[in-house]
Amino acid sequence: MYSKLSFTGELTFFQKLRSLDYWLLFCVLLLGIISTISMYSSEGGQILYYTKSHFIRFSVFFLLMLVLSFLRPSFWHAIGYLFFFIVMVLLVVASFYGVKASGSQRWINLYFVNLQPSELMKIAIIVCFAKYYHRIQITNVNTLQGLLIPIVILIIPIVFVLSQPDLGTSILIALSGIAVVWLSGVKIKYFFYSFLSLIITAPFIISLLKPYQKIRILTFFNPERDPLGAGYQIIQSKIAIGSGGIYGKGFLKGTQSYLEFLPEKHTDFIFTLFSEEHGFVGSFILLIIYAILIFRIISIGALSRSFFGKLFCYGFGTSIFIYIVVNMAMVLGMVPIVGSPLPIMSYGGSSMLATMIGLAIVMGCRIYNKELIA
Amino acid sequence: MISSGDTKIRKAKVISRRVFIISLVKVVIFTGIVGRLFSLQVKENKKYLTLSDKNRLREWKLPPIRGEFVDYFGNIIAGNMEVYRLHVIPEQVENFNYLMTRLKTILDLSDNEYSKIIKKKNKQKPWETIIISENLSWSQFSKLNLYLHELDGAKPVLSVSRYYPYKENFTHVLGYLSRASTSDIENSESIKKNYVPGLRVGKIGLEKTFESDLIGTNGIQRYEVNAYGKRVNQVDHILGKKGKNIKLTIDAEVQKYVNELLIGRSGSISVMDIYTGEIIALHSSPSFDPTLFLHGISNEDWKSIRENPLKPLLNKTVSGLYSPGSTIKPIVALSALENDVISPEMKVRCTGKIELYGHRYHCWKEKGHGYMNLREAIKQSCDTYFYEASRKLGVDRLNVTAKRFGLGNNVFDGLFPDEKKGLVPSTKWKKNNLGVGWVLGETLLTGIGQGYIQTTPVQLCLMTAQLANGGFKIYPRLTFDNNYEDYETVKHKMFQKTIEKKNSTIGLIETSKELIFSAKNKYEILFRNQENIKFVLDAMYGSTNEVFGTSYKSRIEDTKYQFAGKTGTAQVKRITEEARKLDLKTEQIPYEERDHALYVAYGPYKHPRYAMSIVIEHGGSGSKAAAPIAKKLFKFVIDRHELREIIRKRKLKNI
């Protein structure tokens, strides 16, 4: 299918290599280094399991990303639905036969590693929607059929992820999907109506939530109601960040983390650890790195000639932005605690893999930016 | 499904517009995140820094170091000793049960102690220390050291504990320490402030009275702790302040000697400086080792102390109440003279008994003393004479004089919470308390120190001291404080008082009125005519140093040691006519029914400096049981006097 695709004149390998986005690669490497150093700090200044494992994963997946970068966008376009279908099957398998841990069932045991399909779904949904909107005519976007199909595609994985249960990931999948839908030109009034109906049905939805999820929401509005229980994470995280000050407590001197007041410091609260040790200045620099990363992804999208490429880059850039904002807002006590990793920084193989695949597709769009997809 | 060029352009336009909107939103949200970071980390930094320190820092109060007691010569009588404790931190022990069974055999722990430790272990967090033993004996310690390499996790720790080098000698003065109870903590501000688990506080005696001076202040160790409360490292160590050392007026050597003199007997001895009121020795026998209470007394020890018929728990010197017997006679004589009731020349014929108001009153000497004047009556302790003298005097005037000389009132101002006041009866007292009128026969009994009158041994000592110093009010003391005045000062002030009295014509004290003492008016004159005091003192000299004197056998002829005294024999039980006829020896009477033997004395006679009182419970007669002790003790006290003077003079120079 893609042999006759709209592109003449092959690039040499070196041309391809040269047309890689080095700003983007630089930011990703920088984040990889910062995250490894943070892992090292989270283990009290020792190279133990998490540091090693995180570094190895980062290195492997970074190389994988470089390799996958040479795949054309048309390839991703071609396998778009298949990719979504495979991830969906994995998701169903995980939901029914997966490994149970701390009250939820979201992993598939692959013997050498546990795979979390819901993380991959974050990327798969964008690929899938990008293909869908690439193929549909602009006039059909706002028709009933054109609206219903993406809603159904979006709701199916969300239902499975919610049932695992994993509120954080399902929210992120939903937001990523909605972002792509928004970008592709669905009328603003539909967003407005759905938002309105969401508010109206909110009490009903809340009644469907698990007790611990309800508690988390209540705790968000008043962390002091249970300072040793559910509010503990928010309080300790705010203390850690606030006590960091302008320049931070210094590398390996974050007392909140090394004295173990900070929960889940490898994963969701890695930013808290970083912020405590490196202060406002460090956190600001980290935010700048992420901002550059997102800016580069959007720019690549802008330069991409194919609509698929554009939509994927914009969608992926926006998703990365959403992950970052949800995670940071959470550890800063601005939104309730939901499980949501910080891209690249947090410990977690599936999340890292998903991010790297996304980046590889973006990079492919960069190399083959002149390629058109029929 | 090939898009036409037109729709393609429209699609591209829409997506560009949408991405532009979304980028603007992103910028706004990022700015919001940065703003939140700024407000937490820059604006509210102080608040969160405080919270973070509160999280990570914990303070541990260290037990305060208790002040020490030293005697007049600076010998430590209650000090702090380094002891070895055995600590185990369960977390650091691989096999706790193995370690405990090994320790049980090595330290010879009882099953009871063993199960207590196991119980404690199960209650605590695994990193909290368990104290296996607070006070390892030397043999335990050396045995432990031998096996220590096999006992992983057992740690001998150096700690401080109270020790009493004079053992039972000072128990009734100092009291003892024991674990602070809830009521101890509630009732004392200083204990509450300095409390740490396992703190020992004074339970009785001066250890309790001076608790707030002795206790000191806590040292503080500040540790960094993790979220589970485990200590990670020490951040700060603030040393506590040691409690105040307290110097006693007591001479430990005399005190020790006094204890030896009373060994095996139940009784009390007090020795006092008749000018400064310094207590030289104050002992109640039998006593017990205060260390027994320090780590919790064992059941057997407690039982043996509590059930001892000689009552070791009672501080007989200040809380024991005794009829003064004939030791009251100098006061009766003085009162009669001061009130001009009798003259020293008054003669009474003693036939061994006297018939008054239908009752028969006996003199201790069955055959009678024959014709007696006042001096002879004191010297030979003739009861008949004193029946007559007290009949003329009346109980109320005797009450005034006796009270003025310190009977019927606390001797120490609040030093011993359990000090007894005793009782000096009066007609008013009987009416108010027993609701019955006074009977004249009771006056006669009071006149020989029997009946209602009850005194503590230290009161008798004070009474004798105030006679011996010429009749001046003094203030017995065990410690040195700001009110302390030296011998020379006291003597000078007393001398001035005498001059003042001679110069003033209206300064006569009414002998029938009780004196009201004020702190300003120290060393108050207790007499109307000092000649009367001198007369009584001379009679007491006769009692000890002249033939027929009741304590003649216990005299010392060397003027350096020569003392004067008065014996007393207090009946515990009314003597029946049959018993009187039998005239049993002391040894033949059951112990509980034997008379108490008393003796009061002062000396050296020429220039008196010390007064003492001796009470031997159920010892028989004062002349046989108590006076010989005085002889030995006086020699000892006078021999120590020179050393005491050296210290006193050295201190004067320093001031």
Side-chain angles (χ1 to χ4, degrees):
Chain A
M1 197 168 145
Y2 72 85
S3 58
K4 57 175 168 129
L5 288 178
S6 62
F7 178 65
T8 50
E10 285 291 316
L11 292 167
T12 63
F13 178 71
F14 289 105
Q15 281 173 316
K16 288 177 188 171
L17 208 58
R18 224 182 302 145
S19 54
L20 282 173
D21 191 314
Y22 287 98
W23 270 106
L24 192 58
L25 287 182
F26 176 69
C27 287
V28 173
L29 271 178
L30 210 56
L31 287 172
I33 292 163
I34 291 171
S35 64
T36 308
I37 287 171
S38 298
M39 282 305 147
Y40 174 73
S41 169
S42 83
E43 292 185 310
Q46 283 169 292
I47 299 177
L48 297 176
Y49 176 76
Y50 286 113
T51 316
K52 275 188 225 159
S53 172
H54 184 81
F55 181 71
I56 291 166
R57 281 173 185 177
F58 177 78
S59 312
V60 170
F61 292 146
F62 186 75
L63 289 174
L64 181 72
M65 179 200 79
L66 287 179
V67 172
L68 293 182
S69 296
F70 295 96
L71 288 174
R72 293 162 192 274
S74 50
F75 167 79
W76 295 108
H77 175 263
I79 65 155
Y81 293 154
L82 182 69
F83 183 41
F84 176 78
F85 182 74
I86 292 168
V87 174
M88 194 60 224
V89 169
L90 290 173
L91 189 60
V92 173
V93 171
S95 297
F96 288 104
Y97 309 104
V99 181
K100 277 186 188 174
S102 55
S104 66
Q105 195 171 16
R106 43 177 102 149
W107 293 275
I108 296 174
N109 187 0
L110 298 180
Y111 298 102
F112 61 96
V113 68
N114 281 348
L115 185 74
Q116 191 184 345
S118 55
E119 285 291 341
L120 294 178
M121 184 50 88
K122 287 181 189 170
I123 289 301
I125 197 81
I126 302 170
V127 177
C128 177
F129 277 8
K131 178 168 181 178
Y132 175 77
Y133 284 110
H134 176 84
R135 290 165 70 94
I136 200 172
Q137 291 208 340
I138 187 78
T139 42
N140 293 338
V141 166
N142 285 308
T143 59
L144 185 66
Q145 192 199 7
L147 282 172
L148 269 181
I149 292 172
I151 287 174
V152 172
I153 293 176
L154 190 56
I155 279 177
I156 294 168
I158 286 173
V159 166
F160 278 98
V161 176
L162 265 179
S163 73
Q164 285 178 343
D166 186 352
L167 183 65
T169 312
S170 50
I171 287 175
L172 291 180
I173 293 170
L175 288 176
S176 307
I178 290 166
V180 182
V181 173
W182 158 273
L183 287 167
S184 56
V186 173
K187 282 186 175 161
I188 293 174
K189 64 177 180 189
Y190 296 136
F191 287 96
F192 181 71
Y193 291 151
S194 7
F195 182 68
L196 213 63
S197 58
L198 187 74
I199 286 179
I200 291 161
T201 55
F204 175 69
I205 294 170
I206 285 172
S207 74
L208 287 177
L209 290 177
K210 303 269 170 195
Y212 84 92
Q213 290 166 335
K214 276 189 219 170
I215 288 171
R216 279 183 179 182
I217 291 170
L218 284 173
T219 307
F220 164 70
F221 290 111
N222 182 15
E224 307 298 329
R225 66 189 278 274
D226 187 7
L228 291 178
Y232 183 79
Q233 297 182 329
I234 290 183
I235 292 172
Q236 295 303 337
S237 174
K238 275 166 77 179
I239 291 174
I241 292 170
S243 63
I246 297 176
Y247 302 108
K249 292 180 181 168
F251 183 52
L252 299 180
K253 286 176 187 159
T255 54
Q256 284 285 102
S257 67
Y258 92 81
L259 295 173
E260 297 175 48
F261 290 98
L262 204 58
E264 301 178 44
K265 55 190 173 184
H266 309 103
T267 55
D268 293 0
F269 288 89
I270 190 83
F271 177 69
T272 310
L273 178 143
F274 180 82
S275 191
E276 184 189 16
E277 293 191 345
H278 302 103
F280 179 71
V281 173
S283 312
F284 189 71
I285 290 171
L286 188 68
L287 270 173
I288 295 286
I289 295 170
Y290 275 119
I292 293 171
L293 184 85
I294 293 163
F295 176 75
R296 288 311 304 166
I297 294 170
I298 301 292
S299 309
I300 290 167
L303 290 174
S304 181
R305 282 184 70 185
S306 71
F307 188 76
F308 173 82
K310 258 191 203 322
L311 196 50
F312 181 83
C313 290
Y314 292 162
F316 182 67
T318 308
S319 296
I320 292 278
F321 171 81
I322 290 166
Y323 307 156
I324 293 166
V325 166
V326 168
N327 180 276
M328 288 193 179
M330 176 183 90
V331 301
L332 288 166
M334 298 162 84
V335 299
I337 301 272
V338 289
S340 71
L342 190 62
I344 304 176
M345 285 287 284
S346 286
Y347 181 83
S350 305
S351 161
M352 179 90 84
L353 177 63
T355 310
M356 288 302 186
I357 291 174
L359 286 170
I361 301 172
V362 170
M363 211 57 94
C365 293
R366 174 76 180 80
I367 296 170
Y368 307 102
N369 65 347
K370 300 218 167 57
E371 189 188 74
L372 281 168
I373 302 167
Chain B
M1 283 274 277
I2 297 164
S3 327
S4 74
D6 183 38
T7 50
K8 257 188 192 167
I9 293 162
R10 259 186 72 198
K11 242 180 172 177
K13 268 188 179 171
V14 166
I15 199 169
S16 299
R17 196 162 59 230
R18 290 279 163 104
V19 98
F20 179 70
I21 295 169
I22 231 170
S23 299
L24 282 183
V25 173
K26 283 178 192 168
V27 171
V28 171
I29 292 177
F30 257 15
T31 314
I33 297 268
V34 172
R36 174 72 172 181
L37 269 172
F38 185 82
S39 98
L40 286 182
Q41 297 196 297
V42 182
K43 276 170 91 180
E44 293 187 289
N45 174 241
K46 258 197 184 144
K47 172 184 155 193
Y48 287 108
L49 211 54
T50 320
L51 286 171
S52 147
D53 280 347
K54 228 166 113 189
N55 264 346
R56 75 186 178 99
L57 297 175
R58 289 272 183 299
E59 283 185 356
W60 267 269
K61 280 209 263 178
L62 300 175
I65 305 287
R66 204 173 171 82
E68 295 170 324
F69 281 106
V70 296
D71 84 336
Y72 191 85
F73 298 97
N75 300 311
I76 290 172
I77 51 180
N80 299 311
M81 181 175 53
E82 290 183 331
V83 291
Y84 278 100
R85 291 175 164 195
L86 185 62
H87 287 187
V88 168
I89 300 172
E91 194 189 50
Q92 299 170 358
V93 182
E94 247 174 72
N95 188 339
F96 187 78
N97 286 336
Y98 167 77
L99 176 71
M100 279 313 299
T101 37
R102 283 301 305 274
L103 284 179
K104 193 184 170 205
T105 46
I106 292 171
L107 301 181
D108 204 17
L109 298 173
S110 70
D111 288 330
N112 196 7
E113 288 171 297
Y114 180 77
S115 61
K116 246 190 213 166
I117 293 165
I118 299 292
K119 233 186 249 166
K120 215 169 161 195
K121 186 225 162 191
N122 294 337
K123 257 201 269 171
Q124 289 181 337
K125 298 260 164 61
W127 55 80
E128 281 178 320
T129 311
I130 295 178
I131 299 166
I132 304 289
S133 169
E134 286 190 313
N135 185 15
L136 291 172
S137 68
W138 180 244
S139 71
Q140 282 176 323
F141 181 66
S142 44
K143 223 168 151 191
L144 196 71
N145 270 336
L146 202 63
Y147 294 110
L148 204 59
H149 62 280
E150 301 168 25
L151 305 167
D152 236 5
K155 263 192 245 162
V157 177
L158 200 59
S159 148
V160 171
S161 165
R162 198 62 152 177
Y163 90 117
Y164 299 96
Y166 291 89
K167 302 227 183 258
E168 79 274 19
N169 282 300
F170 284 90
T171 309
H172 287 115
V173 177
L174 297 182
Y176 53 81
L177 298 183
S178 194
R179 230 172 246 275
S181 67
T182 358
S183 65
D184 288 331
I185 299 165
E186 274 165 19
N187 296 332
S188 161
E189 211 40 58
S190 55
I191 295 176
K192 203 190 274 175
K193 222 179 78 194
N194 295 295
Y195 181 75
V196 290
L199 181 73
R200 304 302 200 269
V201 297
K203 292 288 179 176
I204 196 169
L206 299 190
E207 290 270 31
K208 185 186 167 96
T209 310
F210 291 108
E211 183 66 57
S212 52
D213 291 329
L214 289 165
I215 194 164
T217 56
N218 297 114
I220 289 171
Q221 270 179 322
R222 210 167 277 140
Y223 280 94
E224 198 165 62
V225 297
N226 71 8
Y228 312 105
K230 185 182 174 176
R231 297 181 200 188
V232 178
N233 56 50
Q234 185 173 318
V235 180
D236 212 356
H237 186 178
I238 301 162
L239 292 173
K241 241 188 178 169
K242 191 187 165 185
K244 238 169 80 183
N245 284 357
I246 293 177
K247 183 177 163 171
L248 298 187
T249 59
I250 292 180
D251 180 344
E253 287 304 311
V254 179
Q255 183 82 3
K256 232 163 80 182
Y257 188 62
V258 159
N259 182 44
E260 276 169 35
L261 291 173
L262 287 176
I263 266 175
R265 290 194 249 204
S266 170
S268 150
I269 292 180
S270 322
V271 183
M272 191 187 288
D273 184 309
I274 62 169
Y275 292 103
T276 60
E278 290 165 33
I279 299 287
I280 312 300
L282 193 78
H283 190 56
S284 171
S285 176
S287 186
F288 53 89
D289 186 351
T291 324
L292 289 176
F293 286 86
L294 200 54
H295 303 291
I297 190 163
S298 71
N299 276 336
E300 305 112 70
D301 285 338
W302 175 236
K303 209 173 150 192
S304 81
I305 289 176
R306 203 186 40 196
E307 290 178 0
N308 188 335
L310 303 184
K311 291 173 285 183
L313 283 174
L314 181 67
N315 185 359
K316 299 179 178 92
T317 319
V318 298
S319 310
L321 290 175
Y322 304 91
S323 303
S326 303
T327 55
I328 194 77
K329 281 174 185 165
I331 287 295
V332 178
L334 179 70
S335 185
L337 288 173
E338 290 271 278
N339 287 292
D340 287 329
V341 176
I342 58 167
S343 83
E345 283 76 41
M346 184 185 88
K347 285 212 165 72
V348 170
R349 182 166 171 253
C350 171
T351 58
K353 51 184 175 277
I354 184 174
E355 208 73 48
L356 275 169
Y357 319 110
H359 280 276
R360 178 178 285 175
Y361 297 91
H362 291 273
C363 181
W364 65 270
K365 197 170 179 184
E366 219 181 323
K367 290 170 193 159
H369 289 94
Y371 284 100
M372 290 273 116
N373 63 17
L374 183 55
R375 191 173 184 278
E376 283 300 313
I378 294 174
K379 184 177 140 187
Q380 299 189 34
S381 201
C382 173
D383 291 339
T384 314
Y385 192 98
F386 277 91
Y387 291 140
E388 180 61 15
S390 53
R391 190 182 63 81
K392 286 189 168 170
L393 176 61
V395 74
D396 289 336
R397 283 190 281 198
L398 173 60
N399 171 286
V400 170
T401 313
K403 280 200 163 165
R404 193 179 289 172
F405 275 83
L407 303 185
N409 223 323
N410 281 349
V411 172
F412 297 106
D413 185 22
L415 280 187
F416 298 97
D418 53 349
E419 183 175 0
K420 291 264 166 48
K421 279 189 170 184
L423 175 67
V424 182
S426 66
T427 52
K428 211 170 126 194
W429 166 81
K430 197 185 175 194
K431 191 94 196 143
N432 288 345
N433 288 279
L434 303 179
V436 200
W438 187 264
V439 182
L440 229 150
E442 291 163 352
T443 307
L444 307 192
L445 283 176
T446 310
I448 62 159
Q450 297 287 157
Y452 296 118
I453 187 161
Q454 289 212 296
T455 56
T456 63
V458 76
Q459 282 173 354
L460 292 176
C461 184
L462 174 63
M463 173 193 90
T464 315
Q466 289 181 150
L467 283 171
N469 67 22
F472 297 91
K473 174 83 187 152
I474 57 163
Y475 305 88
R477 57 167 65 246
L478 274 161
T479 58
F480 296 91
D481 56 24
N482 295 334
N483 295 326
Y484 177 74
E485 281 171 326
D486 182 72
Y487 164 69
E488 320 267 326
T489 324
V490 174
K491 229 178 160 190
H492 179 71
K493 283 191 177 173
M494 285 180 179
F495 179 70
Q496 274 189 328
K497 290 259 176 196
T498 326
I499 302 287
E500 274 169 38
K501 184 172 151 53
K502 270 180 189 155
N503 293 343
S504 95
T505 44
I506 45 167
L508 287 173
I509 300 169
E510 284 187 58
T511 47
S512 58
K513 273 200 187 138
E514 287 184 41
L515 287 172
I516 299 155
F517 299 113
S518 63
K520 280 183 205 160
N521 211 0
K522 273 183 164 179
Y523 315 113
E524 196 65 56
I525 286 171
L526 302 172
F527 53 83
R528 191 181 60 112
N529 182 354
Q530 203 170 20
E531 289 309 309
N532 294 333
I533 299 221
K534 282 181 183 156
F535 176 86
V536 170
L537 292 177
D538 175 57
M540 285 170 80
Y541 170 81
S543 172
T544 309
N545 298 294
E546 290 170 11
V547 189
F548 298 127
T550 49
S551 51
Y552 180 64
K553 278 183 188 156
S554 304
R555 75 193 178 280
I556 305 175
E557 278 167 4
D558 184 348
T559 50
K560 189 183 168 196
Y561 302 112
Q562 195 172 42
F563 64 96
K566 180 74 201 78
T567 56
T569 306
Q571 285 170 24
V572 178
K573 204 183 156 207
R574 214 189 167 91
I575 304 173
T576 56
E577 286 300 313
E578 300 90 71
R580 198 176 292 279
K581 268 175 206 153
L582 284 171
D583 191 22
L584 293 165
K585 289 254 167 57
T586 307
E587 293 74 30
Q588 291 168 299
I589 308 169
Y591 177 80
E592 293 80 39
E593 293 177 14
R594 289 179 204 166
D595 295 335
H596 293 323
L598 294 91
Y599 193 66
V600 296
Y602 68 91
Y605 179 66
K606 283 249 168 81
H607 301 285
R609 283 300 297 275
Y610 299 106
M612 66 173 66
S613 73
I614 298 167
V615 175
I616 307 293
E617 277 192 0
H618 308 292
S621 80
S623 59
K624 279 189 190 129
I629 290 176
K631 180 181 176 177
K632 289 182 195 163
L633 183 54
F634 244 108
K635 192 142 191 313
F636 198 90
V637 169
I638 303 297
D639 281 337
R640 296 288 298 173
H641 175 71
E642 276 164 37
L643 287 173
R644 207 175 166 87
E645 283 294 285
I646 290 168
I647 298 281
R648 186 176 70 81
K649 281 173 183 152
R650 192 185 295 161
K651 216 189 267 159
L652 276 182
K653 257 187 221 155
N654 286 351
I655 294 165

